[in-house]
Amino acid sequence: MPVQIEIRDRIAVVTIDNPPVNAMSRAVRQGLSDAITQTEANPEITAVVVTCAGRTFVAGADIREFGKPPQEPHLPDLLDRIEGARKPWIAAIHGNALGGGLELAMACRFRLASATARLGLPEVTLGLIPGAGGTVRLPRLVPSDKALEMIATGRPISANIAHRVGLIDAITSGDLLTTALELAHQADTVSPTLSRPVRSETSAGSLNAQIANIQTRTEGQAAPEAAILALRNALTLPPTDALKKERDLFLSLKDGPQSGAMRHIFFAERATLQSIRETLADPLPVQRVGIVGGGTMGAGIAAACLLAGIAVSLVERDTEAARAGANRVTAILDNSLKRGKLTKATHNERLEAFHAGDQLLSLADADLVIEAVFEDISVKKDVLAQLDHIVRPETVLATNTSYLDVSAIAASTQHPERVIGLHFFAPAHIMKLLEIVTPKGLSARTLSTGVTLAKQLGKIPVLAGVCDGFIANRMMSAYRREAEYMLEDGALPWQIDHAMESFGFPMGLFRMQDLAGLDISWAMRKRQAATRDPAQRYVEVGDLLCGAGHFGRKTGRGYYVYDDVGTPFPSLEAEALIHAESARKGIDRREISESEIMDRLLTAMQSEGRRILDEGIASSANDIDVVMVNAFGFPRWKGGPMYCSASD
Ligand code: 3HC
Ligand code: NAI
């Protein structure tokens, strides 16, 4: 039974038990409906505490039901009954109260949360808005600017903040149920949420400014716009009208393409390890990570590990480089402290768990070592061959290479079965994606350990076979190639960037390359030059820019030119160079529309995606979508290139 009732000292304790996250499935809704009927009918009962078994309060409606026709009892009706019940309901919240879970809590008379709980309305992240009164009840509990922020961004808040802004009435570090039972005896004097006025301390001017800001940041997405509309309704209409409009908006979004795409990505992100789930066993516990190379990536990976509570030893080429690497790591931790992501005490603890030096021998006791040295196979092989003799026999050795052959790197050791690719993305302490590159002969334990580390770091692991660029960079090479063809055929970098940004990418490809540094892909192209098929079309624009010393943002020039504060402007020099290249190759430049630009880019992604699947480099088309969304900002609300081709 997903909902149980127990009576304690005239208080009914209604427990929802629907693992893993107590989603509000039809069976749970039915159980709650029965609980309302029973508790209302029983004269012994004076109040009801609703709580959850397992690791969390209700994390929302059951998203798996969204593709199907809605089934009774409907959540909004249920919550109306809870709010209108003669016996007051008290929500006792631990873990996450999200979406329909927070809506349930808001329909209760009183909300108590454990100190570590998190509360939020993340529906926009699924292309939705709250559909069971969330947009109408929330601004009656918290100031309207906070309500707008929560509904339109979907970001959950901590119990402390929730308490401060009025979303919850009490917080406890003690036993949640005991405290809830004590409070239940006093709850009947509290007025129902919907009968309270909206909290209007935010001025219209500042709310409008906040709305304009959200609209700019979420252009092209239907849900944030609907969230703004729903909140405006809640602030201006009687609650019953606002509730009806909210429900209509919710239902139309639920059946719309953006929510379908975002739900696809939600489930795809959680299914990336499906093909190996059965084989994952016996991972080596990772408490101490060694990192070789403290540049951009090494420092970011070190910070990611430290932030996750894992001790780190960083090794650089010499003491000066070690100091520079340590400074990079410390700067990231300091920034986390400044932004409130770390307390002072945890910041100190993390720094104490960090050591930087220039001796590989200091990594002897590491459980896992990640090399992030220069992208040069001989340097990487040399580092791994040395480590092979230094670390314990079971220690996992990982490479963060972007393109190089992980099997060849593994072969430089005596124990290739313990070598794995862990391909992080920059900035490594922020980006959620982690490609786990699996050379043939990899041991099950090495793979399990890599996956476990990914989970410890809160990353989304995607498995990739060995090839030049794995999944992410190989996809990027394919659509970059197509974009470069279009440069010669008639488009200019800023037109291609504009088409991509209008499609929903946060940044166009050429601006992104300028930002990352054009020299990185130049080095890769130089490496591939000897083996490149001479019959294949090759665009030299990028090489010519690099040859002229224009590496993008960092040199002030690339496809764009940059002013002192880094604002990009179309580069006349790049434009002239592109025109000259078209002329040199005898190409008659023609106008290429934005829709043709996007069609060609998507087709390139999809064709490369299919090749990647055929070669067994990715386990599923969904994994490719997960990579494109999380590595390169493919718009989540379009589901990824493979999803786009399936839904064409
Ligand atoms: N419905 C159905 N299944 C869900 C679910 C939900 N709301 N939330 C999580 N799950 C499933 C996941 O698919 C996963 O299944 P799997 O084990 O088969 O892969 C399992 O629960 C565990 O999920 P996670 O791996 O994500 O577990 P974490 O501990 O990392 O995270 C969480 C827990 C923070 C609750 C996270 O799962 C999450 O963010 N869930 C979605 C929350 C959400 O968006 N809620 C709003 C739903 S829409 C809604 O409520 C509409 C309402 O307004 C009417
Ligand atoms: P970087 O040049 O910023 O850092 C490399 C660091 O390695 C330098 O600090 C250097 O002193 C150190 N180093 C070189 N040889 C060493 C040795 N033998 N022992 C100890 N330290 C040594 O380079 P970056 O960008 O951090 O890249 C590192 C690796 O990560 C490369 O393989 C790169 O392809 C990969 N990568 C880079 C990404 C990026 O966006 N920059 C993204 C993902 C992977």
Side-chain angles (χ1 to χ4, degrees):
M1 288 289 281
V3 178
Q4 283 136 24
I5 308 180
E6 183 198 342
I7 299 173
R8 290 208 202 171
D9 187 21
R10 307 198 66 200
I11 309 289
V13 177
V14 172
T15 304
I16 300 172
D17 187 2
N18 184 28
V21 297
N22 291 312
M24 195 81 82
S25 63
R26 203 204 75 80
V28 171
R29 297 198 303 277
Q30 187 58 56
L32 279 177
S33 173
D34 296 344
I36 302 166
T37 309
Q38 279 179 41
T39 51
E40 286 292 275
N42 187 341
E44 294 273 294
I45 295 171
T46 59
V48 183
V49 168
V50 59
T51 185
C52 285
R55 59 180 159 117
T56 182
F57 195 72
V58 175
D62 189 336
I63 308 166
R64 286 173 212 275
E65 290 179 358
F66 283 180
K68 305 171 194 155
Q71 280 189 297
E72 287 185 341
H74 302 304
L75 190 57
D77 302 337
L78 211 57
L79 300 191
D80 283 350
R81 285 179 64 204
I82 288 177
E83 188 169 68
R86 283 179 295 115
K87 319 288 168 72
W89 281 54
I90 293 95
I93 300 164
H94 74 291
N96 292 294
L98 298 177
L102 181 56
E103 289 175 300
L104 164 65
M106 290 194 289
C108 292
R109 294 293 171 92
F110 200 92
R111 284 155 293 282
L112 165 73
S114 61
T116 51
R118 282 157 26 101
L119 303 94
L121 293 172
E123 284 87 344
V124 279
T125 63
L126 295 167
L128 296 167
I129 61 164
T135 65
V136 185
R137 288 193 177 92
L138 186 63
R140 291 176 155 75
L141 295 170
V142 310
S144 43
D145 59 336
K146 192 70 194 170
L148 177 62
E149 181 194 311
M150 287 181 69
I151 299 165
T153 68
R155 269 196 297 277
I157 58 175
S158 67
N160 272 327
I161 295 178
H163 192 213
R164 203 167 64 223
V165 296
L167 179 54
I168 56 175
D169 305 288
I171 231 173
T172 179
S173 326
D175 185 72
L176 185 64
L177 187 56
T178 310
T179 317
L181 287 167
E182 281 161 20
L183 290 166
H185 290 291
Q186 311 150 24
D188 61 342
T189 53
V190 183
S191 56
T193 310
L194 281 182
S195 69
R196 303 184 198 180
V198 289
R199 288 185 58 180
S200 51
E201 41 284 53
T202 317
S203 74
S206 87
L207 203 63
N208 285 338
Q210 193 185 350
I211 287 173
N213 187 289
I214 292 166
Q215 284 169 327
T216 313
R217 280 189 290 112
T218 58
E219 212 180 325
Q221 295 183 57
E225 197 57 50
I228 291 166
L229 183 58
L231 188 85
R232 281 196 194 281
N233 291 336
L235 296 179
T236 52
L237 299 178
T240 40
D241 296 351
L243 285 173
K244 181 168 177 337
K245 285 185 184 290
E246 175 201 77
R247 187 71 182 165
D248 291 346
L249 282 167
F250 169 79
L251 291 174
S252 82
L253 287 169
K254 179 171 80 73
D255 296 333
Q258 295 197 354
S259 179
M262 289 173 105
R263 275 157 21 217
H264 156 74
I265 284 294
F266 177 87
F267 286 117
E269 284 176 345
R270 285 160 179 78
T272 54
L273 299 176
Q274 215 160 34
S275 61
I276 55 158
R277 226 166 237 183
E278 318 273 271
T279 60
L280 289 177
D282 197 22
L284 190 73
V286 179
Q287 280 154 4
R288 176 166 293 278
V289 164
I291 293 172
V292 189
T296 311
M297 291 309 291
I301 299 167
C305 292
L306 290 165
L307 289 169
I310 302 171
V312 172
S313 296
L314 179 80
V315 176
E316 258 288 353
R317 287 184 290 178
D318 50 47
T319 46
E320 199 176 314
R323 198 170 315 118
N327 286 344
R328 282 185 203 102
V329 176
T330 315
I332 297 174
L333 294 185
D334 289 352
N335 197 34
S336 297
L337 174 67
K338 210 159 68 199
R339 295 174 53 219
K341 304 260 172 208
L342 284 182
T343 61
K344 186 75 195 128
T346 330
H347 176 261
N348 288 343
E349 243 172 60
R350 301 297 187 251
L351 282 180
E352 273 165 30
F354 176 55
H355 175 263
D358 63 353
Q359 296 297 317
L360 281 178
L361 280 174
S362 67
L363 304 183
D365 62 346
D367 304 308
L368 184 145
V369 181
I370 306 171
E371 73 72 21
V373 300
F374 300 134
E375 184 75 346
D376 176 329
I377 198 152
S378 55
V379 180
K380 290 191 187 285
K381 280 180 168 179
D382 179 50
V383 166
L384 258 73
Q386 289 188 57
L387 285 170
D388 203 25
H389 297 293
I390 292 172
V391 299
R392 295 192 306 262
E394 71 275 17
T395 296
V396 168
L397 299 179
T399 169
N400 181 47
T401 178
S402 305
Y403 292 93
L404 299 172
D405 182 344
V406 179
S407 301
I409 296 172
S412 65
T413 69
Q414 312 252 309
H415 304 283
E417 72 285 352
R418 61 155 145 171
V419 178
I420 191 168
L422 292 179
H423 181 222
F424 290 79
F425 292 78
H429 62 293
I430 291 176
M431 297 289 278
K432 296 284 271 182
L433 186 67
L434 180 60
E435 273 184 302
I436 302 203
V437 187
T438 57
K440 289 211 168 57
L442 179 74
S443 77
R445 192 169 204 208
T446 305
L447 179 57
S448 300
T449 306
V451 164
T452 307
L453 176 72
K455 295 274 177 199
Q456 276 176 272
L457 299 181
K459 304 285 182 201
I460 302 169
V462 171
L463 301 172
V466 175
C467 69
D468 207 339
F470 321 123
I471 303 175
N473 284 333
R474 190 167 150 177
M475 289 292 286
M476 152 77 92
S477 297
Y479 70 88
R480 183 174 52 213
R481 194 162 50 234
E482 190 61 34
E484 287 169 352
Y485 292 167
M486 285 191 273
L487 287 186
E488 284 185 345
D489 292 345
L492 291 168
W494 30 99
Q495 288 166 342
I496 295 175
D497 283 355
H498 189 262
M500 290 181 76
E501 286 160 19
S502 304
F503 182 78
F505 279 89
M507 194 182 277
L509 180 62
F510 291 101
R511 212 144 66 79
M512 197 178 94
Q513 289 185 85
D514 264 4
L515 196 64
L518 301 181
D519 47 328
I520 295 176
S521 52
W522 190 36
M524 190 262 300
R525 289 194 299 274
K526 282 197 279 196
R527 213 180 46 247
Q528 290 174 337
T531 52
R532 190 177 301 125
D533 176 4
Q536 199 190 10
R537 181 172 173 186
Y538 183 74
V539 177
E540 285 182 36
V541 175
D543 298 352
L544 293 168
L545 284 172
C546 288
H550 303 331
F551 295 156
R553 172 83 177 75
K554 61 185 164 193
T555 56
R557 266 174 197 280
Y559 289 100
Y560 294 82
V561 285
Y562 296 84
D563 66 11
D564 292 347
V565 289
T567 314
F569 298 94
S571 159
L572 294 179
E573 190 180 341
E575 184 171 344
L577 200 151
I578 291 164
H579 277 275
E581 279 300 288
S582 303
R584 184 176 68 81
K585 290 193 174 173
I587 298 170
D588 234 350
R589 290 179 66 81
R590 65 176 177 88
E591 183 126 340
I592 304 182
S593 70
E594 292 214 340
S595 76
E596 184 183 340
I597 290 173
M598 271 325 295
D599 278 354
R600 283 177 65 170
L601 291 178
L602 282 174
T603 305
M605 291 175 202
Q606 289 155 356
S607 312
E608 193 64 23
R610 279 190 288 274
R611 274 190 291 273
I612 285 174
L613 280 175
D614 290 347
E615 291 170 29
I617 298 299
S619 317
S620 74
N622 289 358
D623 282 2
I624 298 176
D625 286 339
V626 170
V627 165
M628 286 300 299
V629 166
N630 288 287
F632 304 128
F634 191 103
R636 185 171 276 270
W637 63 98
K638 298 210 168 147
M642 307 314 276
Y643 179 82
C644 282
S645 76
S647 53
D648 268 349

